[in-house]
Every structure is written in structure tokens, then in C-alpha cells.
Amino acid sequence: MIGSRLSSMFALGAAVIAACSSGGEPTGSTCPEGSTLTYETFGRSFLETHCTKCHSAAGRGESPALDSVANVRANATSIDSAAAAGPKATNTEMPEDSDVAEAERRKLGEWLACGAP
């Protein structure tokens, strides 16, 4: 009885984790020498245009909140797999209600690969 409950709880936990993880692949983006993408020149505008409507403390409150560069850095791998593009993958899971040009997704991949400076 206890064993079957533990098994059920484990299965439920695994399903929740799978549902919350991004379905995309790592883009393989790299940070080119001399990249000029920074939070001020790219990140802030991209996030405000495409992300923070849903992913912010003031928005609908979906996880993760992306209204600070620290949160972006902490979630860079997930963001890459959900919304960025690079040589190995183009991920379009996010944003759900907005078309983002592949060139912008590539910039996102580069900016994240550079550590979201």
C-alpha cells in the first residue's frame, strides 16, 4: 500500500517536472568575440516586447519571472530551449502569442550564450 502510494507520487512528480520543462533543444549558440548585445542594447527591449507580459511579477505571474536580468541569467538554459535560435535548433515554444523573427531569436541565443550581460 505504501509502496504503491510512493510509486504514484513519484510518477505524478515526474509528470509535473516534464510538463514544466521546455520542450526545445539547446540551440548551441555561442558568444562571438566582440558581441555588442547587452541588456541595454538588446535584452531589455526583447524581454519587454516578448516576455514580461506573462513572465513578470506584475504580469500573470507565470514562472519564471523575467523582469530582472538576474532572473534571466538564472533561467538562461530554459529560455534558450524555449525561445532562442542557434546553429543546432530554432525554438519557438515561447512566446505563445507573438511571432518573433528568427534573426531576433538568434540574437537572444547569442545574448544568453554571452551570459546576458
Side-chain angles (χ1 to χ4, degrees):
M1 180 80 165
I2 291 176
S4 67
R5 282 187 182 173
L6 286 175
S7 293
S8 295
M9 288 174 59
F10 178 74
L12 177 61
V16 168
I17 289 169
C20 292
S21 67
S22 142
E25 298 291 325
T27 63
S29 296
T30 59
C31 184
E33 187 174 325
S35 176
T36 60
L37 300 179
T38 66
Y39 182 71
E40 294 303 322
T41 65
F42 172 77
R44 179 192 311 264
S45 175
F46 185 93
L47 295 167
E48 288 175 355
T49 301
H50 302 293
C51 307
T52 57
K53 179 176 104 180
C54 297
H55 293 278
S56 72
R60 293 190 327 212
E62 294 179 16
S63 294
L66 301 178
D67 48 3
S68 77
V69 73
N71 285 351
V72 170
R73 290 175 185 143
N75 292 283
T77 301
S78 295
I79 297 166
D80 180 75
S81 294
K88 295 182 179 179
T90 298
N91 296 309
T92 59
E93 181 180 334
M94 290 286 153
E96 292 177 341
D97 63 351
S98 174
D99 290 331
V100 179
E102 185 174 338
E104 287 297 295
R105 291 183 187 279
R106 288 190 176 276
K107 286 182 181 180
L108 176 62
E110 177 183 321
W111 180 60
L112 294 170
C114 291

